[in-house]
PDB file of all heavy atoms in Angstrom:
ATOM      1  N   ARG L 303     -14.739  -0.023   1.235  1.00 94.00           N
ATOM      2  CA  ARG L 303     -14.741  -1.428   1.623  1.00 94.00           C
ATOM      3  C   ARG L 303     -15.668  -1.738   2.853  1.00 94.00           C
ATOM      4  O   ARG L 303     -16.308  -2.686   2.933  1.00 94.00           O
ATOM      5  CB  ARG L 303     -13.303  -1.865   1.925  1.00 94.00           C
ATOM      6  CG  ARG L 303     -12.445  -1.862   0.819  1.00 94.00           C
ATOM      7  CD  ARG L 303     -12.066  -3.066   0.084  1.00 94.00           C
ATOM      8  NE  ARG L 303     -12.316  -4.401   0.562  1.00 94.00           N
ATOM      9  CZ  ARG L 303     -11.456  -5.219   0.937  1.00 94.00           C
ATOM     10  NH1 ARG L 303     -10.148  -5.013   0.928  1.00 94.00           N
ATOM     11  NH2 ARG L 303     -11.801  -6.519   1.301  1.00 94.00           N
ATOM     12  N   VAL L 307     -18.704  -4.378   2.706  1.00 95.00           N
ATOM     13  CA  VAL L 307     -18.740  -5.511   3.707  1.00 95.00           C
ATOM     14  C   VAL L 307     -20.035  -5.391   4.320  1.00 95.00           C
ATOM     15  O   VAL L 307     -20.764  -6.491   4.547  1.00 95.00           O
ATOM     16  CB  VAL L 307     -17.544  -5.511   4.626  1.00 95.00           C
ATOM     17  CG1 VAL L 307     -17.832  -6.516   5.744  1.00 95.00           C
ATOM     18  CG2 VAL L 307     -16.283  -5.938   3.968  1.00 95.00           C
ATOM     19  N   ARG L 310     -22.916  -6.581   2.291  1.00 96.00           N
ATOM     20  CA  ARG L 310     -22.941  -8.144   2.119  1.00 96.00           C
ATOM     21  C   ARG L 310     -23.322  -8.813   3.494  1.00 96.00           C
ATOM     22  O   ARG L 310     -24.050  -9.804   3.470  1.00 96.00           O
ATOM     23  CB  ARG L 310     -21.615  -8.613   1.616  1.00 96.00           C
ATOM     24  CG  ARG L 310     -21.502  -8.587   0.169  1.00 96.00           C
ATOM     25  CD  ARG L 310     -20.264  -9.352  -0.351  1.00 96.00           C
ATOM     26  NE  ARG L 310     -19.560  -8.390  -1.094  1.00 96.00           N
ATOM     27  CZ  ARG L 310     -18.308  -7.889  -0.760  1.00 96.00           C
ATOM     28  NH1 ARG L 310     -17.676  -8.234   0.359  1.00 96.00           N
ATOM     29  NH2 ARG L 310     -17.713  -7.050  -1.534  1.00 96.00           N
ATOM     30  N   LEU L 319     -15.044  -6.688  10.477  1.00 94.00           N
ATOM     31  CA  LEU L 319     -14.617  -5.626   9.471  1.00 94.00           C
ATOM     32  C   LEU L 319     -13.113  -5.798   9.223  1.00 94.00           C
ATOM     33  O   LEU L 319     -12.777  -5.722   8.099  1.00 94.00           O
ATOM     34  CB  LEU L 319     -15.068  -4.215   9.903  1.00 94.00           C
ATOM     35  CG  LEU L 319     -16.522  -3.950   9.847  1.00 94.00           C
ATOM     36  CD1 LEU L 319     -16.784  -2.595  10.499  1.00 94.00           C
ATOM     37  CD2 LEU L 319     -17.162  -4.010   8.471  1.00 94.00           C
ATOM     38  N   GLU L 320     -12.331  -5.865  10.279  1.00 92.00           N
ATOM     39  CA  GLU L 320     -10.922  -5.885  10.056  1.00 92.00           C
ATOM     40  C   GLU L 320     -10.479  -7.140   9.285  1.00 92.00           C
ATOM     41  O   GLU L 320      -9.637  -7.145   8.433  1.00 92.00           O
ATOM     42  CB  GLU L 320     -10.267  -5.871  11.504  1.00 92.00           C
ATOM     43  CG  GLU L 320      -8.716  -5.730  11.356  1.00 92.00           C
ATOM     44  CD  GLU L 320      -8.080  -5.573  12.729  1.00 92.00           C
ATOM     45  OE1 GLU L 320      -8.536  -4.781  13.560  1.00 92.00           O
ATOM     46  OE2 GLU L 320      -7.042  -6.397  13.078  1.00 92.00           O
ATOM     47  N   GLN L 321     -11.105  -8.328   9.665  1.00 91.00           N
ATOM     48  CA  GLN L 321     -10.805  -9.542   8.934  1.00 91.00           C
ATOM     49  C   GLN L 321     -11.121  -9.435   7.529  1.00 91.00           C
ATOM     50  O   GLN L 321     -10.363  -9.907   6.674  1.00 91.00           O
ATOM     51  CB  GLN L 321     -11.465 -10.794   9.650  1.00 91.00           C
ATOM     52  CG  GLN L 321     -10.910 -11.049  11.024  1.00 91.00           C
ATOM     53  CD  GLN L 321     -11.838 -12.148  11.765  1.00 91.00           C
ATOM     54  OE1 GLN L 321     -12.995 -12.288  11.475  1.00 91.00           O
ATOM     55  NE2 GLN L 321     -11.247 -12.741  12.701  1.00 91.00           N
ATOM     56  N   LYS L 322     -12.236  -8.930   7.138  1.00 90.00           N
ATOM     57  CA  LYS L 322     -12.635  -8.860   5.818  1.00 90.00           C
ATOM     58  C   LYS L 322     -12.005  -7.803   5.060  1.00 90.00           C
ATOM     59  O   LYS L 322     -11.785  -8.042   3.780  1.00 90.00           O
ATOM     60  CB  LYS L 322     -14.252  -8.597   5.714  1.00 90.00           C
ATOM     61  CG  LYS L 322     -15.082  -9.609   6.433  1.00 90.00           C
ATOM     62  CD  LYS L 322     -15.206 -10.737   5.542  1.00 90.00           C
ATOM     63  CE  LYS L 322     -16.237 -11.735   6.132  1.00 90.00           C
ATOM     64  NZ  LYS L 322     -16.269 -12.911   5.348  1.00 90.00           N
ATOM     65  N   ILE L 323     -11.463  -6.774   5.744  1.00 91.00           N
ATOM     66  CA  ILE L 323     -10.827  -5.714   4.943  1.00 91.00           C
ATOM     67  C   ILE L 323      -9.316  -5.659   5.088  1.00 91.00           C
ATOM     68  O   ILE L 323      -8.621  -5.353   4.121  1.00 91.00           O
ATOM     69  CB  ILE L 323     -11.441  -4.294   5.364  1.00 91.00           C
ATOM     70  CG1 ILE L 323     -13.037  -4.290   5.108  1.00 91.00           C
ATOM     71  CG2 ILE L 323     -10.699  -3.159   4.724  1.00 91.00           C
ATOM     72  CD1 ILE L 323     -13.750  -3.178   5.755  1.00 91.00           C
ATOM     73  N   SER L 324      -8.879  -6.029   6.139  1.00 86.00           N
ATOM     74  CA  SER L 324      -7.400  -5.911   6.403  1.00 86.00           C
ATOM     75  C   SER L 324      -6.709  -7.243   6.064  1.00 86.00           C
ATOM     76  O   SER L 324      -5.441  -7.292   5.564  1.00 86.00           O
ATOM     77  CB  SER L 324      -7.076  -5.527   7.873  1.00 86.00           C
ATOM     78  OG  SER L 324      -7.559  -4.269   8.110  1.00 86.00           O
ATOM     79  N   ASP L 325      -7.316  -8.355   6.295  1.00 84.00           N
ATOM     80  CA  ASP L 325      -6.659  -9.700   6.302  1.00 84.00           C
ATOM     81  C   ASP L 325      -7.107 -10.529   5.018  1.00 84.00           C
ATOM     82  O   ASP L 325      -6.439 -11.403   4.764  1.00 84.00           O
ATOM     83  CB  ASP L 325      -6.992 -10.512   7.509  1.00 84.00           C
ATOM     84  CG  ASP L 325      -6.467  -9.866   8.775  1.00 84.00           C
ATOM     85  OD1 ASP L 325      -5.518  -8.971   8.691  1.00 84.00           O
ATOM     86  OD2 ASP L 325      -7.088 -10.103   9.788  1.00 84.00           O
ATOM     87  N   ALA L 326      -8.133 -10.067   4.431  1.00 80.00           N
ATOM     88  CA  ALA L 326      -8.741 -10.898   3.274  1.00 80.00           C
ATOM     89  C   ALA L 326      -8.941 -10.055   2.046  1.00 80.00           C
ATOM     90  O   ALA L 326      -8.891  -8.790   2.141  1.00 80.00           O
ATOM     91  CB  ALA L 326     -10.043 -11.596   3.649  1.00 80.00           C
ATOM     92  N   GLY L 327      -9.194 -10.613   0.942  1.00 72.00           N
ATOM     93  CA  GLY L 327      -9.460  -9.950  -0.262  1.00 72.00           C
ATOM     94  C   GLY L 327      -8.192  -9.661  -1.136  1.00 72.00           C
ATOM     95  O   GLY L 327      -7.122 -10.030  -0.631  1.00 72.00           O
ATOM     96  N   PRO L 328      -8.374  -9.119  -2.217  1.00 77.00           N
ATOM     97  CA  PRO L 328      -7.120  -8.851  -3.016  1.00 77.00           C
ATOM     98  C   PRO L 328      -6.155  -7.922  -2.273  1.00 77.00           C
ATOM     99  O   PRO L 328      -6.487  -7.036  -1.630  1.00 77.00           O
ATOM    100  CB  PRO L 328      -7.677  -8.038  -4.266  1.00 77.00           C
ATOM    101  CG  PRO L 328      -9.192  -8.298  -4.142  1.00 77.00           C
ATOM    102  CD  PRO L 328      -9.606  -8.576  -2.748  1.00 77.00           C
ATOM    103  N   SER L 329      -4.879  -8.232  -2.451  1.00 80.00           N
ATOM    104  CA  SER L 329      -3.833  -7.495  -1.647  1.00 80.00           C
ATOM    105  C   SER L 329      -3.912  -5.984  -1.928  1.00 80.00           C
ATOM    106  O   SER L 329      -3.673  -5.290  -1.010  1.00 80.00           O
ATOM    107  CB  SER L 329      -2.479  -8.048  -1.874  1.00 80.00           C
ATOM    108  OG  SER L 329      -2.359  -9.128  -2.622  1.00 80.00           O
ATOM    109  N   ALA L 330      -4.104  -5.671  -3.225  1.00 80.00           N
ATOM    110  CA  ALA L 330      -4.164  -4.181  -3.517  1.00 80.00           C
ATOM    111  C   ALA L 330      -5.436  -3.513  -2.824  1.00 80.00           C
ATOM    112  O   ALA L 330      -5.280  -2.271  -2.751  1.00 80.00           O
ATOM    113  CB  ALA L 330      -4.255  -4.133  -4.977  1.00 80.00           C
ATOM    114  N   MET L 331      -6.315  -4.166  -2.378  1.00 80.00           N
ATOM    115  CA  MET L 331      -7.472  -3.610  -1.603  1.00 80.00           C
ATOM    116  C   MET L 331      -7.459  -3.802  -0.185  1.00 80.00           C
ATOM    117  O   MET L 331      -8.493  -3.383   0.511  1.00 80.00           O
ATOM    118  CB  MET L 331      -8.772  -4.226  -2.209  1.00 80.00           C
ATOM    119  CG  MET L 331      -8.976  -3.792  -3.647  1.00 80.00           C
ATOM    120  SD  MET L 331     -10.531  -4.256  -4.449  1.00 80.00           S
ATOM    121  CE  MET L 331     -11.634  -3.275  -3.458  1.00 80.00           C
ATOM    122  N   ARG L 332      -6.411  -4.354   0.371  1.00 84.00           N
ATOM    123  CA  ARG L 332      -6.346  -4.496   1.851  1.00 84.00           C
ATOM    124  C   ARG L 332      -5.967  -3.207   2.454  1.00 84.00           C
ATOM    125  O   ARG L 332      -5.104  -2.474   1.961  1.00 84.00           O
ATOM    126  CB  ARG L 332      -5.294  -5.602   2.215  1.00 84.00           C
ATOM    127  CG  ARG L 332      -5.777  -6.939   1.810  1.00 84.00           C
ATOM    128  CD  ARG L 332      -4.784  -7.930   2.287  1.00 84.00           C
ATOM    129  NE  ARG L 332      -5.302  -9.256   1.720  1.00 84.00           N
ATOM    130  CZ  ARG L 332      -4.539 -10.353   1.776  1.00 84.00           C
ATOM    131  NH1 ARG L 332      -3.286 -10.372   2.248  1.00 84.00           N
ATOM    132  NH2 ARG L 332      -4.904 -11.462   1.188  1.00 84.00           N
ATOM    133  N   ILE L 333      -6.609  -2.849   3.594  1.00 85.00           N
ATOM    134  CA  ILE L 333      -6.402  -1.638   4.273  1.00 85.00           C
ATOM    135  C   ILE L 333      -5.955  -1.988   5.731  1.00 85.00           C
ATOM    136  O   ILE L 333      -6.514  -2.726   6.443  1.00 85.00           O
ATOM    137  CB  ILE L 333      -7.705  -0.802   4.273  1.00 85.00           C
ATOM    138  CG1 ILE L 333      -8.240  -0.461   2.877  1.00 85.00           C
ATOM    139  CG2 ILE L 333      -7.575   0.458   5.162  1.00 85.00           C
ATOM    140  CD1 ILE L 333      -7.328   0.387   2.110  1.00 85.00           C
TER     141      ILE L 333
END
Side-chain angles (χ1 to χ4, degrees):
R303 299 256 350 246
V307 169
R310 274 189 236 112
L319 289 173
E320 184 176 316
Q321 289 170 340
K322 297 283 185 187
I323 299 169
S324 299
D325 300 335
S329 350
M331 293 186 68
R332 291 183 187 169
I333 300 296

